[in-house]
Amino acid sequence: MLFRSVDAMRQYMWDDKQNCFLAVRRKSLQKLATATIGGLVPLCASVPTEPQANAMARALMTRNWNTPVPIPSVDRLDSQYKSSGFWRGDVWPSTVYQILGGLKHYGHQSIVGDLAGRLLDNALKVGVSEHYDSQSGSPLGVPYLGMSAILLTIALEGLSPRHLIHVA
């Protein structure tokens, strides 16, 4: 059953233009135009084919997703994007972690290191927070929220070569 779901995602949700998965209308399977972080998270579940994952990695290094604090919740070039908007362009460490883990699985360690490093640099500069403005890096939401501890996991897993933590 799982493989049918993956095949359906690849067939109906993949968008060659935006290089990510898009939400679709349930009955018509018509793709919605807005690319969101939800279309990148399938990396962590090994949903994309190798060529799709490579296209996603390239897309993450474009102006659309490669913001000062990476990776915004909405494509930066979309009309709905607002760098501090709640799920409209802000950055959530927990979803970024999912994407980074997926990228690492597909062998994109240098991109992972760059994106993870900039996310951790920002957290070290402004503090741990629930989410961040993708342009200014300003903390948003609840400071020191439990799920934000994922920043520590990013360092412990060595996703950023600049921020390694070794446990004795």
Side-chain angles (χ1 to χ4, degrees):
M1 186 61 82
L2 172 66
F3 296 112
R4 286 181 44 198
S5 300
V6 169
D7 289 342
M9 285 183 70
R10 291 173 179 170
Q11 180 178 353
Y12 298 110
M13 300 175 77
W14 177 255
D15 189 80
D16 283 321
K17 182 180 176 200
Q18 298 192 58
N19 292 317
C20 69
F21 294 91
L22 297 177
V24 296
R25 297 196 184 282
R26 188 174 57 104
K27 289 185 179 181
S28 67
L29 297 177
Q30 175 190 12
K31 292 177 195 168
L32 303 181
T34 301
T36 69
I37 199 163
L40 301 167
V41 169
L43 281 163
C44 75
S46 300
V47 170
T49 63
E50 198 77 32
Q52 288 171 335
N54 293 339
M56 294 169 91
R58 287 189 305 275
L60 285 167
M61 298 312 293
T62 66
R63 291 181 34 202
N64 302 62
W65 300 104
N66 195 359
T67 51
V69 180
I71 303 164
S73 50
V74 172
D75 175 340
R76 185 174 73 123
L77 302 181
D78 190 273
S79 63
Q80 296 184 48
Y81 171 84
K82 181 180 180 205
S83 65
S84 63
F86 192 78
W87 291 106
R88 288 288 167 236
D90 52 349
V91 172
W92 293 75
S94 56
T95 51
V96 172
Y97 170 73
Q98 292 172 317
I99 293 165
L100 296 176
L103 283 173
K104 182 179 179 183
H105 169 77
Y106 284 97
H108 295 282
Q109 187 58 46
S110 65
I111 293 172
V112 169
D114 173 58
L115 299 174
R118 288 191 288 127
L119 177 64
L120 293 174
D121 285 343
N122 185 70
L124 289 168
K125 178 181 171 188
V126 302
V128 173
S129 192
E130 182 180 17
H131 54 123
Y132 299 93
D133 184 298
S134 60
Q135 291 296 320
S136 72
S138 297
L140 303 169
V142 180
Y144 301 105
L145 185 68
M147 73 175 186
S148 301
I150 201 73
L151 293 162
L152 181 59
T153 302
I154 291 170
L156 285 167
E157 289 186 5
L159 297 179
S160 169
R162 295 194 313 266
H163 303 91
L164 296 177
I165 298 175
H166 300 285
V167 179

